[in-house]
Amino acid sequence: MQFAQIRDRAEIKSHDARNIDPAGLVGMWVNSNPDTRGVARMIITESGGKLSLRVQAIGPDGLIDWGSTDIALFASSPSSRAAAGFMCLYDFGFAETRLEAMILKGLIVLAQIHTFRDGRVDYFVREYFALDHGRY
Amino acid sequence: MEFKQSGHLDPALTDPATRTLNADKLIGRWLNTNPQTEGLIEILIERDGEHFFVSALAAGENRPIRWPRTGATALANLEEEAGQRALALAVDFDFGFMKAETYLRVNKGVLVIVAYHTFLDGSRRSNYVNREFFHRRD
């Protein structure tokens, strides 16, 4: 088995056909910063075993819907089957935004990598999101 | 100017000074704060003009595994460190059987790397994300 660091090594039994379990990710995640100029909320849905993300971001005149995109799930180790993060890409033509999420202490820590095709400076933002559980 | 969020309209993104942000905080040799790491032992960040390069040594079975010197994308990190402008880097390592998409930033003098590993070899290993911390070695 090839590995690029010791951590990569994990023997997975051939009969283990499980995928990464997205439990806990589905729902609406709200930015903890009410003054954000970026992503306001993320809505994660599951259909047919596939997870989709819909982003709504803050614009000068209200929310901007980025639409839905598929997300790739990541566990916390090669042998784990529990979701610990996800990644996806939005291509807006004038810019591309890569979203890289990591679950820490029940929050999603979202890194946004914005790369522009029109000469603006590429930039990075990291923000925190809490699940809107609707219980109280 | 096109945008998909208000942050896309930040005047700093068209300010030439943003392109020349001080990268001193990032450049150099960094050592993992965890001496028992099973991941990256050491990271080297170099600059050649406006271009940035990242290489690393990872924990191996008998000797460290060299992660090749790879070009990085410099990113203005406008909203951290109490509003101070800083640089972050995004760098993707491709090993053929696996790729590691990473970003690096300095927070309070500590280099933080977050790496998203995707296996491409059909080994049924889970793709995984992890985070590690580094202090300056030089």
Side-chain angles (χ1 to χ4, degrees), chain B residues 79-98:
Chain B
E79 302 191 14
E80 286 194 306
E81 300 266 0
Q84 292 178 34
R85 293 180 186 179
L87 268 184
L89 295 176
V91 56
D92 297 343
F93 294 94
D94 187 349
F95 297 98
F97 75 96
M98 186 267 284

Side-chain angles (χ1 to χ4, degrees), chain A:
Chain A
M1 173 176 290
Q2 288 183 285
F3 61 94
Q5 54 194 331
I6 292 284
R7 181 180 287 129
D8 294 339
R9 292 189 308 187
E11 294 294 342
I12 309 297
K13 293 186 174 108
S14 56
H15 63 269
D16 184 353
R18 293 175 301 157
N19 292 319
I20 297 174
D21 180 1
L25 268 180
V26 172
M28 183 167 74
W29 295 80
V30 179
N31 195 322
S32 66
N33 174 15
D35 298 319
T36 184
R37 295 175 302 148
V39 174
R41 56 187 178 223
M42 300 185 287
I43 300 132
I44 300 176
T45 54
E46 184 181 12
S47 176
K50 280 183 81 173
L51 281 190
S52 296
L53 171 70
R54 180 175 204 141
V55 166
Q56 293 176 329
I58 298 292
D61 302 312
L63 290 177
I64 299 173
D65 193 335
W66 289 9
S68 289
T69 188
D70 292 343
I71 59 178
L73 289 179
F74 291 79
S76 60
S77 75
S79 56
S80 170
R81 299 300 196 203
F86 65 83
M87 185 184 289
C88 67
L89 189 70
Y90 279 94
D91 189 339
F92 301 122
F94 71 97
E96 187 178 90
T97 295
R98 188 156 97 184
L99 301 180
E100 299 183 345
M102 193 173 183
I103 301 169
L104 288 174
K105 299 182 197 280
L107 298 173
I108 286 181
V109 182
L110 184 72
Q112 302 173 44
I113 296 169
H114 302 270
T115 51
F116 291 96
R117 299 187 179 110
D118 63 0
R120 274 176 273 184
V121 175
D122 301 334
Y123 76 103
F124 170 92
V125 179
R126 188 169 159 273
E127 293 184 298
Y128 298 86
F129 292 76
L131 184 64
D132 182 10
H133 48 67
R135 291 188 188 164
Y136 42 80

Side-chain angles (χ1 to χ4, degrees), chain B:
Chain B
M1 183 178 289
E2 292 183 275
F3 61 91
K4 279 291 184 178
Q5 60 179 29
S6 292
H8 285 167
L9 302 172
D10 190 321
L13 301 179
T14 51
D15 180 353
T18 307
R19 291 193 182 283
T20 56
L21 285 173
N22 190 339
D24 290 350
K25 279 186 178 179
L26 277 168
I27 303 303
R29 193 175 294 275
W30 299 83
L31 202 61
N32 198 317
T33 57
N34 173 14
Q36 307 301 322
T37 183
E38 294 188 331
L40 298 180
I41 300 167
E42 184 179 307
I43 293 175
L44 176 63
I45 303 176
E46 300 169 288
R47 180 177 192 170
D48 183 1
E50 290 191 356
H51 301 285
F52 293 85
F53 299 90
V54 179
S55 55
L57 288 177
E61 226 162 10
N62 301 312
R63 63 175 72 96
I65 298 168
R66 188 168 296 281
W67 286 32
R69 189 174 188 259
T70 301
T73 302
L75 304 161
N77 185 2
L78 302 179
E79 302 191 14
E80 286 194 306
E81 300 266 0
Q84 292 178 34
R85 293 180 186 179
L87 268 184
L89 295 176
V91 56
D92 297 343
F93 294 94
D94 187 349
F95 297 98
F97 75 96
M98 186 267 284
K99 64 179 177 180
E101 295 165 274
T102 74
Y103 66 84
L104 306 96
R105 65 193 178 91
V106 172
N107 187 14
K108 297 182 173 67
V110 174
L111 179 76
V112 185
I113 181 169
V114 179
Y116 292 78
H117 306 82
T118 301
F119 292 102
L120 307 166
D121 61 354
S123 60
R124 298 209 49 78
R125 287 177 280 185
S126 291
N127 300 330
Y128 74 99
V129 55
N130 76 305
R131 184 174 63 153
E132 292 192 288
F133 303 89
F134 296 78
H135 62 83
R136 276 204 178 277
R137 183 174 182 178
D138 47 8

